[in-house]
Amino acid sequence: MGYYDTLGAEAAKMLEYVETGTTDSAESTMEVPASAYTDTGYFDREMETIFLKLPLLAALSAEIPRPGDFKAMDLMGKPILVTRKSDGGVAAMMNVCAHRGMILQPEGHGNKKRFSCPYHAWTYANDGKLIGVADPGKFGPICKEERGLTTLPCVEAAGIVWVCLTPGAQINIEKHLGGMMEDLAAHNLEKWHFCGSRRIYGPNWKIAYDGYLEGYHFAAAHPETIHPRSFSNIMHFTAFGPHMRVGYPQVAIKEKLTASPRDSWGQIENTGYDFVRTIFPNVSIFFAPEITQVAQLIPGPTPHQNTTNLLFIRRDPPRDEADAAAIEGMMDWLRDVVDKEDYGVGLQVQKGLASGAIKSVIFGRNERGNQFFHKYVNHLVSGETGSEPPVL
């Protein structure tokens, strides 16, 4: 079965759920200790076994499309610098001068062939090599080859620049993404236009991630934004390793799908149904007709917090000033929905769990994606040698 045939089958399944009043379901309910969202020791193990080992989204290809483009950012408390080299390839390194540890480049985007430290003016090429020491005669002998920026494993695939925060580690992005690679590659994200970003602050990263994995909350939490478009509590789940494609049928799914030939259903995403793609451990992607939102959840610095960067792209750059203004308005609207509705709820959940009022949270049979996500987190954190990862 081809890619679009598979999407069409998932759309058909969503239509069946709507017509029968059912949803994709797990075999039983599942409890997760409340401490999984609050305990510092558990949080530290998550950082060590998941976030410092797995490939993480550092940038969209569309953020650094030209040779010399760069993005400086904080990722998991580590200052990193991602660059587009002169040969078109990408590089990632710690954004820290090898002389005295000064942060080399302030957070943001730009285009530079070289980076000069604002403290003592040591200069680096955009691949991290040290190319100049200020006043070398007075400084003394130094081996430039040994004093470049600390490089990080980095690979570009499916329109995304992936980085591992452990120097010297190996990235097998094809193995990591599995079938999700085909899904992302089908969109040719590397050809899209980067519109901008927004930043919001929320609760524990898993509370935030939980919200992307179910539509059970649509009616109560999004009565005027999402629920008028999409059914509440009807979902379809497809897993690719730890990653998921979560389907949400629109209230007009029957009308929209029956108006199109059955063999075209997989090619009309956003017409009758939508998907949210989650890339484990901390990315959610929603392809909307107007603009695409990529949410990057960055845990910490404590178990009770996360910083979320909302990155926005679309297929074409703004047509004119009015179109550019409309894009800005859409980014603000999407930010406000996530911030005020999802994270507004999430912060209250965090407060409730921290109170000690309940010992565990319970996920229903309808919250199948959440169950799978928490099983995968626990599988990685437990580190049991030889154990098989969970399956959906």
Side-chain angles (χ1 to χ4, degrees):
M1 183 179 291
Y3 172 68
Y4 290 107
D5 294 326
T6 300
L7 296 190
E10 293 173 17
K13 197 65 180 177
M14 284 185 262
L15 177 59
E16 176 187 327
Y17 293 146
V18 168
E19 292 180 330
T20 58
T22 59
T23 188
D24 201 347
S25 299
E27 293 183 359
S28 62
T29 61
M30 171 185 165
E31 293 190 50
V32 172
S35 60
Y37 298 96
T38 61
D39 182 71
T40 300
Y42 192 80
F43 177 80
D44 289 343
R45 291 195 297 277
E46 290 174 337
M47 299 307 103
E48 180 64 30
T49 59
I50 298 174
F51 284 89
L52 294 182
K53 289 190 175 182
L54 296 182
L56 303 177
L57 181 152
L60 301 174
S61 299
E63 292 184 80
I64 52 170
R66 302 167 300 162
D69 283 351
F70 70 85
K71 178 183 181 182
M73 67 175 296
D74 185 277
L75 187 58
M76 308 303 304
K78 297 181 182 294
I80 69 167
L81 183 62
V82 180
T83 63
R84 177 79 60 189
K85 299 185 293 184
S86 58
D87 64 2
V90 293
M93 57 217 82
M94 298 296 291
N95 185 21
V96 178
C97 180
H99 172 214
R100 296 267 289 278
M102 176 66 182
I103 299 300
L104 194 62
Q105 178 66 39
E107 181 177 1
H109 298 79
N111 186 284
K112 289 184 177 181
K113 292 182 179 180
R114 58 189 60 187
F115 297 89
S116 182
C117 179
Y119 196 4
H120 296 96
W122 281 33
T123 304
Y124 302 85
N126 78 345
D127 62 358
K129 293 177 182 177
L130 177 62
I131 57 177
V133 174
D135 210 349
K138 293 180 180 178
F139 188 86
I142 182 174
C143 178
K144 291 182 180 178
E145 288 75 14
E146 297 177 354
R147 290 287 173 176
L149 301 180
T150 299
T151 59
L152 295 171
C154 176
V155 64
E156 185 173 26
I160 295 172
V161 179
W162 308 88
V163 169
C164 179
L165 294 177
T166 299
Q170 299 294 316
I171 293 181
N172 185 336
I173 197 62
E174 290 81 7
K175 180 179 180 181
H176 175 64
L177 291 178
M180 187 57 81
M181 173 73 88
E182 178 188 19
D183 188 290
L184 293 175
H187 292 84
N188 298 309
L189 295 182
E190 66 279 359
K191 299 179 181 178
W192 288 36
H193 172 76
F194 178 63
C195 301
S197 65
R198 300 291 187 269
R199 179 168 293 170
I200 58 178
Y201 301 92
N204 178 275
W205 70 280
K206 297 191 301 298
I207 291 177
Y209 204 84
D210 276 334
Y212 292 107
L213 296 175
E214 49 89 358
Y216 188 27
H217 69 285
F218 285 178
H222 304 293
E224 298 179 359
T225 52
I226 296 176
H227 188 44
R229 172 189 176 93
S230 302
F231 282 100
S232 192
N233 202 26
I234 302 180
M235 298 81 71
H236 184 273
F237 302 98
T238 301
F240 308 94
H243 321 294
M244 278 183 276
R245 185 169 60 225
V246 186
Y248 296 101
Q250 298 173 6
V251 295
I253 184 171
K254 186 172 183 178
E255 171 190 347
K256 297 294 185 181
L257 291 188
T258 55
S260 301
R262 173 60 183 83
D263 59 6
S264 73
W265 286 6
Q267 300 178 50
I268 57 172
E269 183 175 344
N270 303 130
T271 302
Y273 65 93
D274 301 295
F275 288 115
V276 169
R277 278 96 171 160
T278 59
I279 313 298
F280 189 87
N282 67 328
V283 171
S284 163
I285 303 177
F286 175 50
F287 291 99
E290 305 87 358
I291 199 168
T292 288
Q293 174 183 285
V294 181
Q296 177 196 40
L297 284 63
I298 302 176
T302 72
H304 306 274
Q305 319 166 249
N306 92 82
T307 298
T308 295
N309 295 317
L310 301 175
L311 311 174
F312 297 97
I313 54 176
R314 73 174 200 173
R315 292 186 183 276
D316 302 305
R319 295 181 295 273
D320 49 37
E321 290 185 5
D323 191 28
I327 291 173
E328 291 294 323
M330 179 59 67
M331 291 191 290
D332 287 341
W333 185 83
L334 289 167
R335 174 203 58 200
D336 290 345
V337 169
V338 178
D339 189 26
K340 296 176 181 178
E341 299 181 9
D342 290 299
Y343 280 23
V345 168
L347 288 167
Q348 293 303 304
V349 170
Q350 188 74 59
K351 184 176 181 180
L353 294 176
S355 74
I358 60 175
K359 298 302 181 185
S360 67
V361 301
I362 184 167
F363 291 103
R365 294 178 59 242
N366 56 322
E367 298 173 301
R368 186 184 181 199
N370 302 79
Q371 293 192 25
F372 177 66
F373 165 62
H374 284 275
K375 288 176 182 177
Y376 224 105
V377 170
N378 192 58
H379 164 72
L380 294 176
V381 171
S382 66
E384 296 179 4
T385 304
S387 64
E388 292 294 321
V391 294
L392 186 66

